[in-house]
């Protein structure tokens, strides 16, 4: 008789996750550099266009499975499983479909700067961290969202009980002109099985959320990881050359932990001027804290911070 998964021990659950990880690799983090790219997605219609371009590209890329993704205003993250060459082809198809769709959006975009980098994810824990990092991206950048409420990424579908209660429609059941308008192409036959909800592609119909979820022991372990791994986020941000990866609240917690160990004080207000500067250096170089974040957290004059970190 098969043992109930919820009754498994911690180590047994880890072995299950490790087995799934080994069976479905290799894994990659594909991303674009937002510092080099102008804003692509400036409104909900733009984001919907990006979602359809991504859904169509992944639907056509049968050898590639996306575990999660995040479309941001000027860049994108995709965590995928498959052979490297197949994953690169899938991204190139995504970029090509974006270029095809956006000339019709009446805004000039320099697509030569929309270039992808790809990083190999070598271990189960690394994959967990990369999934979490991608699912947090909009949450860190925009205080209007949580990791599970941002509609233009896979995070909102992770461990979401309500997904099975949502009413979706097969794309092929919609009027032909509607399908063409959504996909920005006349060729719609290959995409009839994609699911639609509120005029955007239903994320689990093109992103393998279940595979991504299976990398975590359970929903609790996933949730706990969302805000409790600053060191791992620091390492990933360094690899990706991201600028900010901690919210103010998270950075404040890191600062308090640091100053408690270094100076035996509980709050930044108890630091002297030199200690504040030393702490600012530590947060800047280890956690990519911005000057504005450091100004708010440490109450340092912005001109001092701009001299330290021009």
């Amino acid at each position: 008789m098969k043992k109930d998964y919820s009754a498994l021990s911690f180590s047994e659950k880890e072995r299950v996750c490790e087995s799934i990880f080994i069976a479905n690799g290799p894994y990659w983090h594909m991303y674009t550099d937002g510092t080099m790219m102008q804003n692509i997605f400036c409104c909900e219609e733009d984001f919907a266009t990006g979602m359809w371009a991504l859904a169509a590209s992944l639907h056509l890329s049968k050898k590639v499975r996306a575990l999660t993704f995040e479309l941001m205003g000027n860049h994108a993250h995709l965590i995928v499983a498959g052979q490297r060459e197949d994953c690169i082809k899938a991204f190139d198809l995504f970029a090509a479909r974006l270029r095809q769709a956006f000339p019709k959006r009446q805004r000039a975009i320099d697509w030569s700067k929309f270039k992808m980098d790809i990083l190999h994810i070598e271990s189960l824990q690394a994959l967990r961290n990369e999934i979490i990092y991608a699912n947090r991206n909009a949450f860190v950048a925009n205080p209007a969202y949580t990791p599970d409420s941002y509609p233009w990424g896979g995070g909102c579908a992770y461990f979401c009980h309500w997904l099975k209660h949502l009413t979706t429609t097969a794309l092929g059941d919609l009027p032909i002109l509607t399908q063409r308008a959504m996909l920005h192409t006349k060729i719609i036959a290959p995409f009839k099985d994609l699911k639609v909800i509120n005029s955007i592609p239903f994320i689990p119909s093109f992103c393998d959320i279940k595979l991504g979820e299976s990398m975590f022991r359970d929903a609790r372990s996933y949730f706990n990881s969302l805000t409790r791994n600053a060191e791992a986020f620091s390492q990933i941000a360094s690899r990706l050359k991201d600028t900010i990866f901690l919210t103010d609240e998270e950075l404040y917690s890191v600062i308090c932990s640091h100053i408690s160990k270094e100076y035996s004080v509980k709050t930044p207000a108890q630091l002297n001027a030199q200690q504040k500067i030393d702490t600012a250096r530590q947060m800047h170089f280890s956690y990519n804290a911005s000057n504005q974040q450091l100004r708010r957290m440490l109450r340092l004059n912005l001109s001092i911070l701009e001299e330290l970190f021009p």
Side-chain angles (χ1 to χ4, degrees):
M1 183 175 179
K2 188 175 181 180
K3 192 173 181 180
D4 179 16
Y5 181 82
S6 63
L8 298 179
S9 67
F10 179 96
S11 58
E12 288 172 329
K13 288 181 178 180
E14 277 293 289
R15 283 196 291 271
V16 171
C17 293
E18 188 71 39
S19 176
I20 295 171
F21 171 84
I22 293 170
N24 290 278
Y27 304 90
W28 311 88
H29 188 157
M30 299 193 295
Y31 64 98
T32 62
D33 186 351
T35 64
M36 300 296 293
M37 189 69 190
Q38 69 193 90
N39 283 344
I40 307 168
F41 310 112
C42 299
C43 61
E44 287 198 7
E45 191 174 354
D46 289 346
F47 276 106
T49 298
M51 290 281 281
W52 279 111
L54 181 61
S57 303
L58 291 172
H59 190 71
L60 291 174
S61 303
K62 302 301 183 184
K63 296 181 180 180
V64 175
R65 285 183 289 175
L67 281 68
T68 195
F69 68 95
E70 199 94 340
L71 299 186
M72 300 292 288
N74 59 7
H75 68 283
H77 293 271
L78 287 86
I79 310 299
V80 295
Q83 295 303 313
R84 187 176 189 275
E85 297 76 12
D86 295 323
C87 294
I88 291 173
K89 288 178 182 177
F91 184 90
D92 289 344
L93 182 57
F94 169 52
R97 295 190 75 92
L98 280 179
R99 287 194 296 270
Q100 176 187 349
F102 269 81
K104 304 169 186 178
R105 309 281 297 112
Q106 299 181 345
R107 181 158 48 88
I109 295 176
D110 182 2
W111 290 106
S112 66
K113 296 180 180 179
F114 191 70
K115 296 179 179 179
M116 177 270 294
D117 286 306
I118 183 168
L119 295 174
H120 185 217
I121 304 171
E122 298 182 349
S123 69
L124 172 61
Q125 188 55 52
L127 179 58
R128 289 170 174 167
N129 292 339
E130 300 281 350
I131 290 172
I132 292 290
Y133 188 90
N135 288 351
R136 281 171 43 93
N137 213 242
F139 156 72
V140 173
N142 191 332
Y145 297 104
T146 69
D148 59 2
S149 70
Y150 187 66
W152 316 114
C156 62
Y158 266 62
F159 297 100
C160 179
H161 175 75
W162 295 104
L163 282 182
K164 61 185 179 183
H165 299 293
L166 298 177
T167 301
T168 61
T169 304
L171 181 63
D173 292 340
L174 298 177
I176 290 176
L177 291 180
T178 300
Q179 295 180 55
R180 288 175 174 173
M182 289 175 172
L183 291 164
H184 294 277
T185 181
K186 293 182 179 179
I187 303 172
I188 57 176
F191 311 107
K192 62 182 180 179
D193 294 332
L194 282 173
K195 301 295 183 181
V196 184
I197 184 166
N198 294 334
S199 299
I200 62 172
F202 184 54
I203 291 170
S205 72
F206 67 90
C207 185
D208 198 339
I209 299 297
K210 291 298 181 184
L211 179 59
E213 290 177 341
S214 70
M215 300 300 162
F216 298 87
R217 291 183 298 278
D218 46 40
R220 180 185 295 168
S221 69
Y222 169 79
F223 182 80
N224 285 340
S225 298
L226 283 170
T227 57
R228 296 186 179 183
N229 209 348
E231 291 295 339
F233 301 151
S234 171
Q235 293 170 11
I236 295 171
S238 177
R239 291 172 71 200
L240 272 56
K241 300 179 182 178
D242 267 358
T243 52
I244 298 175
F245 57 90
L246 294 180
T247 65
D248 280 6
E249 291 80 6
E250 291 168 336
L251 181 63
Y252 187 78
S253 178
V254 170
I255 288 174
C256 288
S257 176
H258 172 75
I259 63 177
S260 176
K261 293 176 183 177
E262 291 294 317
Y263 309 114
S264 299
V265 300
K266 294 183 178 180
T267 68
Q270 296 174 276
L271 298 173
N272 62 38
Q274 186 58 51
Q275 289 170 340
K276 286 184 178 183
I277 289 174
D278 291 342
T279 300
R281 287 195 175 99
Q282 178 69 23
M283 295 303 110
H284 174 83
F285 291 112
S286 296
Y287 296 96
N288 279 21
S290 70
N291 285 352
Q292 288 294 347
Q293 283 184 310
L294 294 173
R295 178 187 64 80
R296 292 191 293 268
M297 301 295 105
L298 297 172
R299 296 185 180 180
L300 280 169
N301 191 294
L302 186 59
S303 62
I304 295 175
L305 291 167
E306 288 176 343
E307 284 186 22
L308 290 170
F309 319 116

